[in-house]
Amino acid sequence: MERKTTIHAKVGKQELVITREFDLPVDLLFKAHADAALFEQWMSHEYGTTHVLKLEGRKHGSWQFRTVDADGNVLFGASGTIHEFAPDHKITRTFEMDDSAFDVQLEFLEFESTSDDTSKLTIHTVYRSADLRDKMLKLPFEYGLNMAHDRLQEVVGKLR
């Protein structure tokens, strides 16, 4: 399968820029990140079910989700604080994985309409250091991100 999400990482920098174009209007792309029930659908997969524990779409709000396997074992968890929430345009938030050696990251999610039926998501992520960013890139990060974005397109595309 072709990977449509691209990750740009300049050598020696502590940041990533992730881009993906979707066959979705920008309001649906944004809703996929702001609506807890919809987020749970596209973040769940064959290996686990994602549960949104908190999603406060507002400045000074917070968010938390957890993915568990069929036996209830936690596969992945993450949480953070929302610093900016501009519907259909931008979410600025922190992102911290549970039980991880990685420090908290700062993420700028920008939602852009490219036509009435298509949109683009740009995620600018800043890590504490270039070393931490490079360690993240050694994980199956790109694979997981593409899998999630493919699911987002599939699930949210049915709402059109």
Side-chain angles (χ1 to χ4, degrees), residues 25-39 42 55 88 111 156 159:
V26 72
D27 62 325
L28 282 180
L29 178 60
F30 188 86
K31 185 177 180 180
H33 292 80
D35 181 287
L38 194 54
F39 184 85
W42 68 266
L55 183 54
D88 301 342
F111 303 83
V156 180
L159 301 177

Side-chain angles (χ1 to χ4, degrees), residues 33-130:
H33 292 80
D35 181 287
L38 194 54
F39 184 85
E40 288 177 340
Q41 288 180 48
W42 68 266
M43 281 295 291
S44 295
H45 44 73
E46 64 195 84
Y47 307 110
T49 302
T50 297
H51 302 281
V52 173
L53 307 176
K54 183 189 309 181
L55 183 54
E56 301 168 324
R58 59 179 171 79
K59 185 172 182 150
H60 305 299
S62 60
W63 64 273
Q64 181 179 20
F65 74 87
R66 187 171 294 142
T67 301
V68 298
D69 67 15
D71 296 324
N73 300 306
V74 176
L75 302 175
F76 182 80
S79 61
T81 301
I82 296 171
H83 295 264
E84 184 176 10
F85 189 85
D88 301 342
H89 295 285
K90 188 174 187 179
I91 298 172
T92 303
R93 67 183 185 192
T94 57
F95 182 99
E96 186 171 17
M97 290 187 282
D98 296 347
D99 304 320
S100 166
F102 292 95
D103 286 339
V104 65
Q105 307 155 27
L106 180 60
E107 295 184 335
F108 302 88
L109 287 74
E110 295 181 0
F111 303 83
E112 176 185 346
S113 177
T114 52
S115 76
D116 288 346
D117 299 321
T118 60
S119 55
K120 180 179 176 183
L121 173 64
T122 302
I123 305 172
H124 181 181
T125 302
V126 180
Y127 294 83
R128 184 175 177 156
S129 69

